[in-house]
Amino acid sequence: MERGEDQHGAVLPGAAVVDRNPRRPSRERQGGGQVSKFTFDRKLARGIQRITSSALGPYQTAVIRIGFSATYLLFLLRELPHRHEMYGPDAPWSWDMAQQLISGNQAFTILMWSDSTVWFEIVYAVALLSAALLMVGWRTRAMSVLFMAGVLSLQNRSIFMGDGGDNVIHLMAIYLVLTRCGQVWSLDARRAARAVRVADADAEDNGPRRSVRRDVAGPVLWVVLGLVLTVATVTDGLGGTWWLPVLFWILWVGQGAWWAVNRYAPHNEARTLLDVVANLAHNATLVVIMAEVCLIYATAGWYKIQGSRWQDGTALYYPLKLDYFTPWPGLSDILASSGVMVMLLTYGTVIVQVAFPFTLLNRRVKNVLLVVMMCEHAGIALLLGLPFFSMAMIAADSVFLPTVFLVWLGGRVTHGRELLFSRRGKVPGQRRAVDDQEALQHSGDGGHTLVG
């Protein structure tokens, strides 16, 4: 007689039943496998939904947009008196030499469309204007494309100008085109928030709809850029690569489709599909930007390790003694006179650059090293006279800043703006940054119009 049975083989109530076949898996074990598989599938579905339903890191991409556009804008303004000698008709790297080089490397630059001074002035002015408008987030999508065209045109015209920062700006200008970097802290976000508030007010009042100012600048800008793109494609003025013309046309056609769907079928499945594609492109590009920053620091750190001057701790001493890299000779001499300080800064630079990619799994350590690296670049700007290189690297590092800190920083800026304007009188239509963000979450379009 088995335990839990009477003498006739009946199961006693409340008794434990023993499985007589040990080879047969129990229900608990079968259910455990099903539960684990169900949990994995649910987590996978949740992850897919997260990367397709929203653009991640809106504040980080906004900081990148503002940082790089402001860096290039300040650079162009500083070099405004010397623009002809750097990229124009008076440059040592002449137009004919640049044309021969570009015919070999197939680089893109619209400065090669003409060698006239008027054309150069137009291109330089467009580069300045696009950088300024991208910084404030006006028609972000169109301005990001014009910003990329301006950066590539000027840098590919004279490739020997600039420092390491121009390489970072070169890459980030391309990446920004694929991001939805105007969702927060932009004029596009404010325009979208205003439209949502008007729609909510109409729904509450149940009265006649309020008049919303019709978007005219977007369609006109889209048509003009389409004509320029058509002429450039026909005349083979987009460089020798295949991917850049394809990218330009995809962006132009896609933005036209986006505007048409939002205007005539805002609740259609096509609208959801376009939103998913835009979110996927944004999130993938954000991962590429993060990987690019880690790659920059990793390669810089490991190459430094191989240098004998970095190994013996004296590498920092030599640039401090070069006249070209000493805007403050007295400060550089004070620092170079301390062997201990030179050694600590030399070894510290290598350690931080090599260790940073490995600290991304630990948030606290990552944030500490992030502050150290930003202070390091601020020191490079001050001691070595490389402000734009440092600004570009600090802007690139900002992709790893915590969202909580960025939201707090935005709140402080908004509060300061309110205090400033409260002394001059109340500004109509004034809002907090959190209102813009909430309105964008309701609208779901990221503040994009035809070219916004």
Side-chain angles (χ1 to χ4, degrees), residues 312-385:
D312 58 26
T314 61
L316 184 62
Y317 174 83
Y318 299 98
L320 293 175
K321 290 298 182 178
L322 295 176
D323 294 337
Y324 186 76
F325 292 106
T326 52
W328 311 98
L331 184 60
S332 299
D333 291 338
I334 294 175
L335 183 59
S337 62
S338 175
V340 176
M341 185 61 67
V342 169
M343 182 187 67
L344 291 177
L345 291 177
T346 301
Y347 286 151
T349 300
V350 177
I351 292 173
V352 169
Q353 291 182 351
V354 172
F356 178 73
F358 300 99
T359 63
L360 297 182
L361 300 178
N362 191 307
R363 182 177 301 177
R364 293 182 178 179
V365 179
K366 181 263 295 181
N367 291 337
V368 171
L369 286 188
L370 199 59
V371 174
V372 172
M373 289 192 303
M374 289 184 174
C375 293
E376 174 191 339
H377 289 301
I380 291 175
L382 178 65
L383 294 174
L384 303 182

Side-chain angles (χ1 to χ4, degrees), residues 13-182:
V17 178
V18 179
D19 193 354
R20 297 182 178 180
N21 187 1
R23 296 183 179 180
R24 184 174 58 197
S26 64
R27 291 184 178 180
E28 289 79 4
R29 282 181 287 178
Q30 290 178 351
Q34 293 177 356
V35 169
S36 62
K37 184 177 184 301
F38 174 75
T39 303
F40 173 77
D41 293 342
R42 186 168 60 179
K43 290 182 178 179
L44 180 62
R46 189 177 301 171
I48 294 176
Q49 182 183 10
R50 178 172 173 79
I51 64 176
T52 57
S53 61
S54 62
L56 304 178
Y59 291 96
Q60 286 80 0
T61 50
V63 172
I64 292 175
R65 183 199 83 231
I66 296 171
F68 280 101
S69 57
T71 300
Y72 204 64
L73 175 64
L74 293 176
F75 173 77
L76 294 179
L77 289 175
R78 191 193 72 170
E79 302 300 338
L80 189 62
H82 314 291
R83 63 189 184 278
H84 287 240
E85 290 77 14
M86 294 187 65
Y87 306 110
D90 300 332
W93 190 254
S94 64
W95 191 86
D96 294 332
M97 297 170 65
Q99 191 176 36
Q100 294 178 14
L101 178 63
I102 290 173
S103 63
N105 60 15
Q106 305 298 318
F108 166 78
T109 170
I110 60 178
L111 286 176
M112 291 293 100
W113 293 0
S114 174
D115 60 348
S116 67
T117 305
V118 176
W119 176 245
F120 168 76
E121 296 291 352
I122 293 174
V123 174
Y124 201 90
V126 170
L128 269 171
L129 184 61
S130 62
L133 294 178
L134 180 63
M135 182 178 64
V136 298
W138 185 82
R139 309 291 173 178
T140 310
R141 184 68 67 193
M143 291 305 111
S144 64
V145 176
L146 289 178
F147 177 73
M148 179 186 70
V151 169
L152 298 183
S153 297
L154 293 175
Q155 291 186 358
N156 290 335
R157 164 64 176 84
S158 299
I159 61 175
F160 301 107
M161 297 295 176
D163 47 37
D166 63 336
N167 295 326
V168 181
I169 296 176
H170 191 108
L171 293 173
M172 294 301 174
I174 300 175
Y175 297 153
L176 278 175
V177 173
L178 301 175
T179 62
R180 306 181 73 174
C181 55

